[in-house]
Amino acid sequence: LVLVPALTVALVLPWRWIPPPVTAFIVRERLLSEDPVYYSWVSYEEISDNLAIAVVAAEDQMFPHHSGFDWKQIQDALDEAREGGDLRGASTISQQVAKNLYLSPSQSWVRKGVEAYFTGAIELLWTKRRILEVYMNVAEFGPGVFGVGAAAERIIGKAPGDLSLYDASVLAAVLPSPKRMSAASPSTYVRTRAGQIRTSVRQLGGGGYLAGI
């Protein structure tokens, strides 16, 4: 009863202040791919506000308000599956941080349970701002390209702080499937999705939506 919480704190709390040197997804990529892996940490202050609001608009619009889980999205996904549709993902940014840091992309109820456990710990021990900072630094934006530091330079050709809303929306548009979709050569689908993200950003009120995190 004492060991499990203590181990959880040891695994989660340091990354509230220290940039994670590696993640489970990066380790997996290095083991399974012969291609190079790019990952460099960038502080929140050095990242364009456009990317922060773009990834929230694309991935988790309730991010500032939930405690790790968007129960409405989860219920909607289950309802759609019961009506014969595919079971779509309903993961929050907090859940995706837990998955990227500690787990694998495999799908199982056991993995989802562990993900939920780490999500709760992250929400308890970190700030919302830190969760978003880590997410922007560990998300895969292209094959072997992890985090905005590598993505801005290698895909867009700009510094992370210079990303326009268009740049940010294209990067955010490929997050669901960065190995299949390209921000460097966006398809019609990616360009359309990026436009939808920009519309969502405006509907949320722009960067001011995240002012309180």
Side-chain angles (χ1 to χ4, degrees), residues 30-158:
R30 286 174 175 165
L31 291 175
L32 298 181
S33 175
E34 296 180 356
D35 296 327
V37 173
Y38 303 96
Y39 169 60
S40 59
W41 181 268
V42 182
S43 70
Y44 194 98
E45 292 74 18
E46 296 175 284
I47 301 172
S48 169
D49 292 342
N50 289 318
L51 184 68
I53 187 60
V55 298
V56 167
E59 298 286 287
D60 183 5
Q61 295 188 7
M62 293 302 294
F63 175 73
H65 309 295
H66 63 60
S67 57
F69 306 93
D70 188 336
W71 298 110
K72 183 180 184 304
Q73 286 295 318
I74 292 171
Q75 186 60 56
D76 288 347
L78 292 173
D79 290 343
E80 290 172 14
R82 279 195 292 267
E83 293 171 2
D86 294 332
L87 183 58
R88 61 177 174 84
S91 293
T92 63
I93 284 175
S94 305
Q95 288 174 275
Q96 292 181 58
V97 168
K99 179 178 69 175
N100 273 268
L101 283 180
Y102 302 108
L103 302 167
S104 76
S106 64
Q107 296 291 333
S108 73
W109 288 110
V110 172
R111 192 200 68 81
K112 292 297 288 185
V114 177
E115 176 189 296
Y117 178 80
F118 276 111
T119 298
I122 286 169
E123 282 278 343
L124 180 65
L125 297 172
W126 297 4
T127 64
K128 283 287 190 179
R129 180 185 175 95
R130 181 60 172 180
I131 293 170
L132 184 55
E133 180 180 33
V134 171
Y135 179 67
M136 291 188 290
N137 274 285
V138 302
E140 188 174 14
F141 289 96
V145 181
F146 291 88
V148 62
E153 178 183 347
R154 303 196 65 82
I155 297 175
I156 306 298
K158 294 183 179 179

